Amino acid sequence: MRVFAIPMTTRFRGITVREGVVIEGDAGWGEWSPFTEYPPDVAEPWLRCAEEAAAGDWPVVVRDAVPVNATVPVIPPEAAHALVVASGCTTAKVKVADPGTPPADDLARVEAVRDALGPAGMLRVDANGAWTVDEAVAAIGALDRVAGGLEYVEQPCASVEDLAAVRRKVDVPIAADESIRRASDPYRVRDLAAADIAVLKVQPLGGVRACLRIAEDIGMPVVVSSALETSLGLAAGVALAAALPHLEHACGLATRSLLTGDVADPELTPVDGMLPVLLPLVVPALADAVAAPPERVAWWEQRLAAVRALREAGRS
């Protein structure tokens, strides 16, 4: 295994360095990069995803390219406009409701992105569960107006019950992310009619085949999204998106540009808003260039041992 520590181009999800592991198996490599605050039980499905990839156990694809959205962090409007124009994407997802950021800043960022996309582009926002029901209803109305129409709002509130309440009060479609990938029962979103769209991330949900089963059972359109992976990890998300029978929305897999380095080649970066369906290969020189310092390697080795010990305890 190799441990990487890659500085990010901008602070995202509260972090400035993305850490993780690439693990070699019989058929190649897989990425294991659960966020550092996750306990072993939460990190375990991420390991299943890496092992599936390293074993070469992915399903047959039905498309050779996947449409993707530009991802806009909490940055000034001018920078958001430039990012979307440079991306070449016709869909953009804008992060909103960041702690300490005034709502007016979110409105200005969304307005700038709409200008960059033009009237025909698709614009979605992601609140990462930050709002109460009342805050969500007010914010969604304001954002929808300044956006000239939102494609959907991702995870406006933290709980499934609150998602359902918001969905009944607004006309903008609701997408569920954390309420699926961090829930003990991902199907509560379906059972409570809490969302219109399911956001699936392959690492947190245990791999490509596990996500295909969820997509089939959950009974709503799917958006495949990343967890801030390297090109190696993104390839698993692309494999899922390429294997879905129906793909109605652009996917949130164009996040390679948020990292300053990579471990694999070719890099998974979009061209004209599309990602090719391919499998990047780990390049030792690239992995060496972003290698984590020894103390972080030791930390990840201990973490991997803890997850494997949890598995063993579950089997006994």
Side-chain angles (χ1 to χ4, degrees), residues 133 137 155-170 174 176 179 188-196:
V133 171
V137 171
Q155 201 69 43
C157 304
S159 76
V160 177
E161 291 78 9
D162 284 353
L163 283 190
V166 170
R167 185 169 181 254
R168 291 193 294 268
K169 293 173 181 287
V170 301
I174 302 298
S179 288
R188 275 179 57 75
V189 167
R190 174 199 62 195
D191 296 343
L192 296 183
D196 304 277

Side-chain angles (χ1 to χ4, degrees), residues 80-129:
H81 189 284
L83 184 158
V84 172
V85 170
S87 75
C89 297
T90 58
T91 300
K93 181 171 83 169
V94 183
K95 290 289 185 177
V96 297
D98 194 55
T101 300
D105 288 6
D106 290 340
L107 294 172
R109 191 178 318 109
V110 167
E111 186 175 26
V113 169
R114 169 54 70 197
D115 184 69
L117 287 172
M122 304 299 287
L123 201 163
R124 54 186 70 158
V125 298
D126 182 5
N128 287 116

Side-chain angles (χ1 to χ4, degrees), residues 12-211:
F12 196 89
R13 200 190 165 279
I15 62 174
T16 57
V17 176
R18 188 68 175 105
E19 291 187 350
V21 174
V22 292
I23 297 171
E24 189 172 14
D26 293 338
W29 294 80
E31 177 174 333
W32 183 57
S33 53
F35 294 106
T36 55
E37 71 272 20
Y38 289 173
D41 63 322
V42 177
E44 193 277 332
W46 297 62
L47 183 58
R48 278 186 267 132
C49 180
E51 292 167 341
E52 176 190 64
D57 186 25
W58 284 345
V60 174
V61 301
V62 297
R63 55 187 62 85
D64 59 11
V66 173
V68 292
N69 64 256
T71 298
V72 182
V74 180
I75 53 178
E78 299 81 7
H81 189 284
L83 184 158
V84 172
V85 170
S87 75
C89 297
T90 58
T91 300
K93 181 171 83 169
V94 183
K95 290 289 185 177
V96 297
D98 194 55
T101 300
D105 288 6
D106 290 340
L107 294 172
R109 191 178 318 109
V110 167
E111 186 175 26
V113 169
R114 169 54 70 197
D115 184 69
L117 287 172
M122 304 299 287
L123 201 163
R124 54 186 70 158
V125 298
D126 182 5
N128 287 116
W131 292 320
T132 65
V133 171
D134 289 342
E135 289 170 342
V137 171
I140 290 168
L143 290 163
D144 189 47
R145 286 189 294 273
V146 78
L150 290 170
E151 181 187 13
Y152 63 74
V153 177
E154 184 173 325
Q155 201 69 43
C157 304
S159 76
V160 177
E161 291 78 9
D162 284 353
L163 283 190
V166 170
R167 185 169 181 254
R168 291 193 294 268
K169 293 173 181 287
V170 301
D171 295 326
V172 177
I174 302 298
D177 175 10
E178 288 90 343
S179 288
I180 294 174
R181 66 179 168 88
R182 299 197 66 181
S184 58
D185 179 5
Y187 299 109
R188 275 179 57 75
V189 167
R190 174 199 62 195
D191 296 343
L192 296 183
D196 304 277
I197 296 159
V199 178
L200 301 185
K201 296 180 176 178
V202 289
Q203 281 206 76
L205 291 168
V208 176
R209 292 188 181 277
C211 284

